Amino acid sequence: MIPVKLKKLKDQFEDHNIDGYVIPKNDEFFSEFSNKDRLNFITGFSGSAGLAVILKNKNYLFVDGRYTLQAKIQSGKKFKIIDFSKIINVDLFQNLTLGVDPKLFTSFQIKNFFLKKNKIKLIEENLIDNIFKSRFRVSKPFYYLDKNVTGESHLKKIDRVTKYLNRNKLNHIFITAPENVAWLLNIRGHDNPTSPIPNSYLILSNKKDIFLITDKEKSIKLIKQKRFKKLQIIELNKISTFLKTFKSNRILIDEKTCNIHLEDILNKRFEIIKKEDPIYLMKSIKNKIEINNMINAHIIDGVALTKFIYWLKKLNKKR
């Protein structure tokens, strides 16, 4: 018997004229710890990486080698489990029309994985959200890291990026990887349980104009500390309206991190230049303070692991 939630999902296929629907693990920030764990809801699989393809009569779940056994236990009764390595050349879904949420996929993914063999239909409403009421984790405000922690002020980092924009005759860069926003602005957040990633986007001009796109309550501390002005904070749910009125000519996006929804909005108004976000290279070269902090972090981690192993051995001897 088909589970109620799967039936409710499949009942929507006819309305959208699709043969199936693709559900990734990630959210619009491509985090493995999504506020809305749609994949877990529809499949029962709780691992940190995976992708489901739900067809009218069949259900598939792709996971990597870490989760093969777990996926079979949690989802094997209703889903065929397939190793993620086969997703590039898989022929299971040829000549089908698959629905996707454009906020959860990039054009790079569509072009380079199995989706390229199918007709993809972008559906602005998320079909899982129509049947899934999630409990959002309450996130604390973003916070700022001083220069003695990062080794370089955010102003100097911004200067480096704007010099790159001017060298390449670009008006703006649209930074869609939250970890790169974190590095550039020296900010951190509480949006992920195991890393201080601040879920946000950033627009930076070659004249150093900045717009941080996030939930306003997360920017409270930054505004109080005068790191940002209120006008520089754009609400996430108003990003489409903001981009439609935004003025620019040549704007750089990274097609591996910018979702299709945002790319389509930009493409209608500006000349998009697709290149890898230059911040990836900049932040890969560590300064002295960063190197020392990494060494200290490894020492702390090593001590903690040694204590745990010692405790475990003592516990085993008592048995």
Side-chain angles (χ1 to χ4, degrees):
M1 183 178 177
I2 185 171
V4 174
K5 54 191 173 184
L6 276 174
K7 185 179 184 304
K8 286 183 178 180
L9 173 61
K10 295 184 183 193
D11 285 345
Q12 300 178 74
F13 289 3
E14 189 174 342
D15 295 337
H16 295 280
N17 196 25
I18 56 176
D19 299 304
Y21 194 65
V22 186
I23 303 123
K25 176 71 176 181
N26 58 273
D27 57 15
E28 65 269 34
F29 296 102
F30 297 94
S31 165
E32 64 182 7
F33 297 103
S34 171
N35 271 329
K36 284 189 174 183
D37 195 343
R38 301 176 176 96
L39 186 68
N40 189 351
F41 169 76
I42 204 69
T43 67
F45 171 65
S46 61
S48 65
L51 180 141
V53 180
I54 314 293
L55 304 181
K56 291 177 181 178
N57 299 313
K58 294 181 179 179
N59 311 309
Y60 299 90
L61 175 61
F62 292 84
V63 296
D64 62 48
R66 295 173 297 169
Y67 294 119
T68 305
L69 292 176
Q70 179 181 336
K72 286 179 179 177
I73 293 169
Q74 293 181 325
S75 313
K77 290 182 180 180
K78 301 297 180 183
F79 287 79
K80 181 175 177 59
I81 311 302
I82 302 177
D83 191 278
F84 211 91
S85 64
K86 298 178 181 178
I87 201 167
I88 295 177
N89 296 312
V90 71
D91 293 324
L92 292 170
F93 318 114
Q94 279 188 310
N95 304 316
L96 297 179
T97 299
L98 299 177
V100 301
D101 182 341
K103 295 185 182 71
L104 306 182
F105 289 88
T106 67
S107 59
F108 179 84
Q109 288 175 314
I110 299 296
K111 285 186 294 185
N112 290 279
F113 296 116
F114 74 92
L115 297 174
K116 67 182 178 180
K117 297 182 179 181
N118 303 276
K119 183 180 178 183
I120 298 302
K121 185 168 185 179
L122 304 179
I123 302 174
E124 288 295 334
E125 63 172 322
N126 189 287
L127 302 191
I128 302 296
D129 290 353
N130 291 340
I131 57 174
F132 174 40
K133 292 183 179 180
S134 68
R135 293 183 178 180
F136 280 97
R137 292 192 300 270
V138 177
S139 185
K140 300 175 184 177
F142 297 161
Y143 57 97
Y144 183 80
L145 295 180
D146 291 326
K147 184 181 173 182
N148 62 344
V149 176
T150 64
E152 185 178 13
S153 73
H154 73 285
L155 295 176
K156 283 192 175 182
K157 291 179 180 180
I158 288 170
D159 188 53
R160 288 165 62 186
V161 177
T162 53
K163 284 179 180 177
Y164 172 90
L165 294 178
N166 286 313
R167 281 199 309 271
N168 289 275
K169 298 181 180 179
L170 295 163
N171 302 104
H172 291 86
I173 179 172
F174 189 14
I175 302 168
T176 44
E179 64 272 20
N180 289 354
V181 177
W183 179 86
L184 182 65
L185 299 181
N186 287 344
I187 63 173
R188 300 294 186 268
H190 303 271
D191 294 314
N192 287 270
T194 56
S195 61
I197 299 296
N199 282 351
S200 55
Y201 306 126
L202 185 78
I203 296 178
L204 174 65
S205 80
N206 57 0
K207 297 179 181 178
K208 301 183 183 180
D209 298 317
I210 290 179
F211 295 96
L212 181 64
I213 302 161
T214 188
D215 296 320
K216 280 200 173 179
E217 62 266 23
K218 293 181 185 178
S219 62
I220 292 173
K221 281 187 178 180
L222 300 178
I223 292 172
K224 283 184 178 179
Q225 294 170 351
K226 297 183 179 180
R227 307 287 179 191
F228 283 92
K229 297 177 182 178
K230 286 185 179 180
L231 291 175
Q232 292 178 296
I233 308 298
I234 309 300
E235 283 275 15
L236 268 174
N237 59 6
K238 294 179 181 177
I239 185 172
S240 297
T241 304
F242 174 74
L243 288 175
K244 286 174 183 176
T245 59
F246 190 69
K247 293 182 180 180
S248 183
N249 292 319
R250 289 163 54 84
I251 186 165
L252 184 150
I253 67 167
D254 190 328
E255 65 176 346
K256 293 181 181 178
T257 62
C258 182
N259 66 50
I260 300 170
H261 173 73
L262 296 174
E263 184 178 329
D264 283 350
I265 295 172
L266 293 168
N267 202 33
K268 290 174 183 176
R269 294 184 52 83
F270 317 118
E271 180 186 355
I272 288 180
I273 309 300
K274 293 185 179 182
K275 285 187 177 182
E276 183 176 74
D277 187 336
I279 289 174
Y280 284 113
L281 179 59
M282 293 179 187
K283 72 179 184 180
S284 70
I285 303 170
K286 307 301 181 185
N287 58 54
K288 289 182 180 180
I289 289 178
E290 286 176 315
I291 292 170
N292 287 332
N293 287 339
M294 289 170 69
I295 292 170
N296 291 332
H298 278 290
I299 292 171
I300 294 169
D301 178 70
V303 170
L305 182 60
T306 302
K307 285 183 176 180
F308 170 73
I309 293 171
Y310 175 73
W311 170 83
L312 195 62
K313 285 183 175 180
K314 281 186 68 177
L315 186 68
N316 192 46
K317 285 180 180 179
K318 292 179 180 179
R319 292 183 177 181

